[in-house]
Amino acid sequence: MKARAVAITVSLLVNVALVVVLVRRSGGAADLPAPSPSTKNVPSAEPAPVVVRTIDRSGPEMWKGLASGSIEEIANRLKAEGFPPRLQRVIVRALVAQQFADRHRALADLIRARPWWKAVLDSSEGAKVIAARQRLQREEDDAVDAVLGPDLGSTPYITSSRLYRYGNLPPSTLAELDRINSDYGELMSEIRNASQGILLPEDREKLLFLARQGHADVAQRLTPEQLFEYDLHSSPEGWWLRVLTGGMNPTEEEFRALFKVRFAFSAPYSDGQYEYMTPEDKQTLAKLDPQLTEQIKAVLTPDRFAEYQLKSTAEYRQTDAFAKRFALPANAAATIVTVQNEITKRADAVRANDTLSPVARNAQLGALADEAVARLTPTLGDSSMNAYKQSAGGWLDALRPPLPPGSAPKG
Amino acid sequence: MKRPPLILALSVTANVALFAWWLVPKAVDRNDPIAVLPKSPSSVSNAADDRSIKESPPTASQPLWQQLDSDGDLAGVVSRLRAAGFPPKLVRAIVSTLVAEQFDAERYKIDEVALHTSYWKPWPNSYQDPKVGPALRKLQRDQQGVIKQLLGEPGPDEVGEESRAWDQLTMGNLPPEKLERLKKYSADNNERAALVYSAAIRGASMLATDREKLMALEKTFNDGLGEILTPAEAEEYTLRNGRTANQLKWMLNPFRASEDEYRTIFPLYQGYLDKFPAAAMGQPPGTSVDPTQKGAQDAMMAQLASRLGQQRADDLRLALDPKYAQLNRLVSRLDLPLAASKQVLDVQQDIQQRAALVRDNATLAASERTEHLNALAREASTRISSALGGARGFNVYKENGGQWLASLTPPPKS
């Protein structure tokens, strides 16, 4: 279940990342006169000296005058000529894309060669296209950043996303962390895309290795306190904790306390990255779960701990989504899941009761299903009950044992 | 228990849609022209057909951008950029950025919650939010409308080679005019589908009525393709797009279909789904108890066997059966034949049936029951390892469909 939840989380995170990428994307490759090749491939702290050239300031030669020389010269000229930062980035980006024109053509060939009858994200050909596209975009981003610096022309979305993901760090550090994560993310997504959803042991080893290398690169640039903040914001455990605590609406202090407990607990196993853990590690962690629960209990008040236990489950999240859709009262999801938990626990006891005959067991389970419906109806109302059974209420059907072959349902 | 896969499927669908959007370089308007900018400091006149230059005489000391943006009018900027020899594609990129900036204030206001999300709260998925999503998407359409009003449709030299390659891959060989109409038609349909998804809280509470709405949308969309495309073009488009194509491509991955095989399978599968639309929504075709549906399935498979050969048809039956979906992907990854999926599921069903009998056998003492179940677990391990080529395959299976093995033997009571 957790693996599935991780898959859902990863998929949602990919959605978030793609939305961020799409929002920040602006401009594109242009068929422009190619500027002289850039002599730099890495970010430069100091801008290149401004080269003074005569520009035709009124006629059709203005662009040629602006776009002559190296990328650095053009960037400096754009700045000197008062182009706004975002436009400097758009123009430099287009010129850089022109320098990579051969790569764009090769990518287009790769897209054309991809079998159209295969799923994009589910084939080795698709994985190659994705990897090539990411590599090209990364290299172009690097080339643009090398000339303009990482922040020129940044948007509130980029700034907000970086602060959310890495913590309150200086802009240059945030940009550097973005670069590191993007580089390793590119390599990791190549492995993931080629895996077609089934990770083999060798895939996990490679992914874990890359995750560790990436974290080590980050750690080199941060103080221990900053690294803790980074992990708090960016680690898989942090992301998962946000999902778990979304329903209980934690305070910052509660979140930090819970993170410390959970992170310390899972870190010895594949650095706390559940997806990369061996089955043995997962079993060990599962056995230690009661200890983790005790530690969580120790950092929350009794009321909040009870809320955490109720609302950190997949059942609560699904019921909460249902309650929001049908505009049920604020506490409806908690009421429903409380009934669900109690009935499910009693059903488990019935199933585990060796002394019951199959007929008696089924009768008791059916009675529990009837009781559940009766207790939930006041909260859901008759109109929502049917919809509930179709979505979050699938567990009600699971209480009713399948009819023996050849028998007809009553009524 | 069946819902998380649905959420996952919807999220993966969103991955695919967003990824496809990402692959297509932006700059092409696909929506209605909107003439009004939100609180824009600049006025917008139509520059698409107005190539005249309206500018004050330049001065040597005046920075060039001030000169290009002398009156704050975007149409004037377009004219001056063109007159100054800026390449068309760059004019589009610059103007798109300037227009986006004019919409930014409104965008940030609508999306304020996301921009100010505390790090200890989940990041909201604005574009799929039931309230924020439609507002943001409308703003995006308005923005594209202004760009179109200023620049018109992109010319051939304004569309990148990758974009053209992607269009060709996903829509077939279509002339540019048809392509643009098709994109707009598709975008309108996608917006309607997005409203259904976001109303269902990002798909987390999908109901039968939502699924029916989505199916109706797809049918209406396909019926309307004829107004834009010839029958042959429409056929090529539906082979590549839509739920049937996406579902089929996904399921056929482990089958490793050739193009000819895909072209053979698609129309028959489409015909089957037309008659039994629920099968497209995850109802296992191989496990249906409806005799009419079962008959249609058998007829489809018989036709496919005659065209593909019995061996491939047998594999195809496995590939199209949702209950084998995860196993099929596993055996494909392990480079094993699809028949291994059936072997493994047969073992699972056999062992689980025998385990149920053991659990229901009231004559057994608890220790005897445990011993019987342990023996069944050992047998399952041996048989599945053999089907999956050894311990390596078995270990991967334990985490990809084999979770039932862990529940076969109950933990000792404390």
Side-chain angles (χ1 to χ4, degrees):
Chain A
M1 195 67 192
K2 186 167 180 182
R4 191 174 286 155
V6 168
I8 292 169
T9 305
V10 168
S11 176
L12 291 172
L13 291 178
V14 170
N15 277 330
V16 171
L18 280 166
V19 167
V20 170
V21 167
L22 286 164
V23 167
R24 67 182 283 195
R25 182 175 72 176
S26 63
D31 297 325
L32 312 171
S36 310
S38 171
T39 52
K40 294 180 186 175
N41 287 317
V42 290
S44 161
E46 296 297 324
V50 175
V51 177
V52 179
R53 282 177 195 270
T54 306
I55 300 174
D56 171 4
R57 305 186 79 81
S58 61
E61 298 296 306
M62 184 198 287
W63 167 247
K64 281 187 184 167
L66 261 177
S68 63
S70 69
I71 293 271
E72 290 83 357
E73 290 170 329
I74 297 167
N76 285 322
R77 203 174 295 128
L78 291 170
K79 188 178 176 186
E81 294 292 353
F83 281 75
R86 277 174 82 173
L87 291 190
Q88 290 179 42
R89 183 163 283 273
V90 166
I91 295 170
V92 169
R93 173 100 209 175
L95 293 169
V96 164
Q98 188 60 29
Q99 289 190 340
F100 285 85
D102 288 348
R103 295 273 298 281
H104 282 281
R105 271 192 289 277
L107 183 55
D109 289 342
L110 205 56
I111 292 170
R112 283 192 200 95
R114 203 184 73 73
W116 59 264
W117 62 94
K118 293 187 178 176
V120 179
L121 294 175
D122 194 34
S123 64
S124 57
E125 295 90 348
K128 278 181 201 164
V129 172
I130 296 165
R133 175 78 198 237
Q134 284 180 327
R135 252 195 308 276
L136 183 52
Q137 184 162 328
R138 178 77 257 155
E139 288 177 43
E140 289 186 354
D141 285 347
D142 285 350
V144 174
D145 288 352
V147 176
L148 298 176
D151 288 320
L152 189 76
S154 183
T155 68
Y157 276 102
I158 296 172
T159 308
S160 170
S161 163
R162 284 175 177 170
L163 289 170
Y164 181 85
R165 283 181 292 145
Y166 305 133
N168 195 11
L169 296 164
S172 59
T173 309
L174 290 174
E176 206 171 358
L177 296 182
D178 233 4
R179 180 187 308 280
I180 292 168
N181 279 310
S182 180
D183 286 348
Y184 282 98
E186 184 185 307
L187 295 169
M188 292 168 84
S189 70
E190 203 166 339
I191 297 168
R192 281 183 195 289
N193 292 330
S195 77
Q196 299 167 42
I198 303 285
L199 288 180
L200 301 179
E202 53 265 38
D203 298 326
R204 286 172 197 256
E205 279 174 30
K206 286 179 202 163
L207 288 166
L208 181 58
F209 174 79
L210 289 169
R212 282 180 170 154
Q213 287 293 312
H215 193 265
D217 279 5
V218 168
Q220 277 186 346
R221 288 158 175 82
L222 302 177
T223 65
E225 293 75 22
Q226 287 174 330
L227 185 61
F228 173 78
E229 292 297 319
Y230 172 85
D231 287 331
L232 181 72
H233 285 70
S234 213
S235 66
E237 188 64 63
W239 283 100
W240 180 236
L241 185 57
R242 279 178 203 100
V243 174
L244 292 180
T245 56
M248 71 180 282
N249 193 21
T251 63
E252 183 178 7
E253 290 69 30
E254 286 174 331
F255 183 82
R256 294 178 78 90
L258 286 168
F259 177 79
K260 278 181 190 167
V261 168
R262 295 186 60 97
F263 196 54
F265 212 80
S266 61
Y269 307 95
S270 299
D271 300 346
Q273 313 218 33
Y274 193 82
E275 196 185 3
Y276 309 145
M277 286 180 196
T278 62
E280 293 72 28
D281 281 348
K282 287 178 185 173
Q283 277 175 12
T284 307
L285 265 181
K287 283 179 188 162
L288 294 173
D289 204 48
Q291 289 180 32
L292 174 63
T293 304
E294 282 305 308
Q295 291 185 29
I296 288 172
K297 193 176 182 180
V299 298
L300 296 174
T301 65
D303 285 351
R304 292 294 275 166
F305 175 68
E307 207 172 344
Y308 172 85
Q309 284 208 301
L310 181 72
K311 296 183 176 177
S312 62
T313 61
E315 288 77 15
Y316 180 84
R317 288 191 290 280
Q318 196 182 4
T319 306
D320 191 45
F322 176 86
K324 284 191 170 80
R325 176 173 185 177
F326 285 87
L328 299 178
N331 64 345
T335 305
I336 294 166
V337 174
T338 302
V339 172
Q340 179 181 356
N341 288 347
E342 187 209 309
I343 297 284
T344 304
K345 194 173 176 184
R346 286 164 59 193
D348 287 344
V350 170
R351 289 191 188 99
N353 186 345
D354 296 341
T355 65
L356 290 173
S357 71
V359 173
R361 185 178 299 129
N362 289 353
Q364 289 195 20
L365 290 172
L368 281 174
D370 292 340
E371 180 187 334
V373 171
R375 288 173 62 184
L376 292 174
T377 301
T379 305
L380 287 163
D382 288 333
S383 57
S384 300
M385 178 56 89
N386 190 38
Y388 175 70
K389 285 179 181 172
Q390 288 179 41
S391 56
W395 64 279
L396 287 170
D397 283 343
L399 285 175
R400 300 196 187 274
L403 294 166
S407 62
K410 289 178 186 174
Chain B
M1 282 298 167
K2 290 174 184 171
R3 308 304 163 191
L6 176 61
I7 299 168
L8 182 58
L10 291 170
S11 186
V12 168
T13 303
N15 290 154
V16 172
L18 286 166
F19 174 71
W21 189 14
W22 172 64
L23 273 182
V24 179
K26 80 170 209 181
V28 181
D29 165 55
R30 303 183 176 103
N31 296 291
D32 297 335
I34 305 293
V36 182
L37 286 169
K39 295 177 185 173
S40 162
S42 310
S43 62
V44 180
S45 55
N46 189 342
D49 301 316
D50 176 14
R51 307 297 160 101
S52 64
I53 307 168
K54 295 175 280 184
E55 60 182 74
S56 51
T59 60
S61 59
Q62 192 181 27
L64 281 182
W65 179 249
Q66 225 176 71
Q67 182 183 321
L68 291 164
D69 189 30
S70 58
D71 56 7
D73 176 57
L74 284 172
V77 173
V78 173
S79 297
R80 284 185 283 275
L81 285 170
R82 284 171 173 159
F86 279 67
K89 198 168 180 180
L90 191 52
V91 173
R92 186 169 288 275
I94 290 171
V95 171
S96 297
T97 304
L98 293 172
V99 172
E101 281 185 342
Q102 297 198 350
F103 280 84
D104 277 350
E106 184 69 13
R107 192 180 349 265
Y108 300 151
K109 194 174 150 193
I110 293 171
D111 209 11
E112 194 177 4
V113 172
L115 285 165
H116 295 99
T117 303
S118 303
Y119 73 84
W120 61 94
K121 303 282 174 67
W123 181 274
N125 191 338
S126 304
Y127 275 83
Q128 290 186 32
D129 183 272
K131 287 180 184 163
V132 178
L136 282 176
R137 293 195 297 270
K138 180 180 182 306
L139 199 70
Q140 188 71 14
R141 287 195 299 276
D142 291 352
Q143 182 179 317
Q144 295 295 336
V146 171
I147 294 168
K148 186 178 176 183
Q149 186 186 351
L150 287 163
L151 299 170
E153 297 288 356
D157 55 348
E158 293 177 70
V159 180
E161 205 171 345
E162 284 161 70
S163 182
R164 279 196 293 271
W166 183 253
D167 286 345
Q168 191 181 336
L169 179 79
T170 54
M171 285 179 258
N173 283 315
L174 293 173
E177 185 270 332
K178 279 191 179 181
L179 200 59
E180 286 313 311
R181 282 182 66 198
L182 184 57
K183 282 180 178 177
K184 180 177 182 330
Y185 181 59
S186 175
D188 291 345
N189 186 64
N190 288 344
E191 174 59 24
R192 282 190 279 272
L195 289 174
V196 176
Y197 279 117
S198 55
I201 318 292
R202 296 181 287 278
S205 65
M206 288 287 280
L207 305 175
T209 49
D210 299 320
R211 298 184 183 98
E212 285 162 11
K213 279 182 201 165
L214 291 172
M215 282 192 284
L217 275 178
E218 182 164 23
K219 185 176 184 318
T220 306
F221 178 82
N222 286 340
D223 290 347
L225 280 174
E227 291 178 20
I228 302 172
L229 305 175
T230 66
E233 289 168 343
E235 186 185 333
E236 286 301 311
Y237 182 82
T238 48
L239 277 168
R240 291 163 167 79
N241 298 280
R243 196 173 35 242
T244 304
N246 290 336
Q247 181 178 333
L248 196 56
K249 284 191 267 189
W250 181 264
M251 295 177 87
L252 289 184
N253 185 290
F255 178 74
R256 297 175 189 176
S258 67
E259 180 178 357
D260 284 347
E261 285 177 328
Y262 181 80
R263 284 183 181 277
T264 302
I265 296 164
F266 185 91
L268 292 168
Y269 190 65
Q270 175 74 72
Y272 168 70
L273 290 187
D274 285 347
K275 287 181 191 158
F276 304 97
M281 292 300 184
Q283 180 187 334
T287 57
S288 168
V289 291
D290 179 342
T292 314
Q293 187 174 343
K294 180 74 170 57
Q297 248 181 59
D298 290 343
M300 173 178 74
M301 291 312 299
Q303 286 189 65
L304 287 168
S306 72
R307 296 190 198 180
L308 304 177
Q310 193 58 52
Q311 173 67 44
R312 287 297 275 165
D314 289 345
D315 280 351
L316 182 61
R317 188 180 279 278
L318 292 172
L320 294 180
D321 191 337
K323 72 173 182 281
Y324 291 107
Q326 191 175 17
L327 274 169
N328 288 340
R329 304 181 84 74
L330 172 67
V331 300
S332 171
R333 193 76 219 283
L334 294 169
D335 284 326
L336 295 170
L338 279 184
S341 288
K342 186 167 185 327
Q343 289 175 31
V344 172
L345 197 65
D346 285 350
V347 172
Q348 179 185 346
Q349 287 171 346
D350 173 43
I351 297 288
Q352 285 182 321
Q353 279 171 13
R354 287 161 61 195
L357 290 176
V358 169
R359 290 195 191 97
D360 287 343
N361 187 344
T363 66
L364 291 173
S367 60
E368 289 174 312
R369 185 173 292 117
T370 302
E371 181 46 41
H372 279 295
L373 290 172
N374 284 337
L376 283 173
R378 287 193 295 274
E379 181 186 333
S381 165
T382 304
R383 289 168 65 188
I384 291 173
S385 291
S386 169
L388 294 178
R392 177 171 176 266
F394 180 68
N395 285 331
V396 179
Y397 170 69
K398 281 198 286 189
E399 294 194 289
N400 292 278
Q403 288 83 353
W404 64 275
L405 288 161
S407 58
L408 196 59
T409 49
K413 288 177 184 173
S414 54

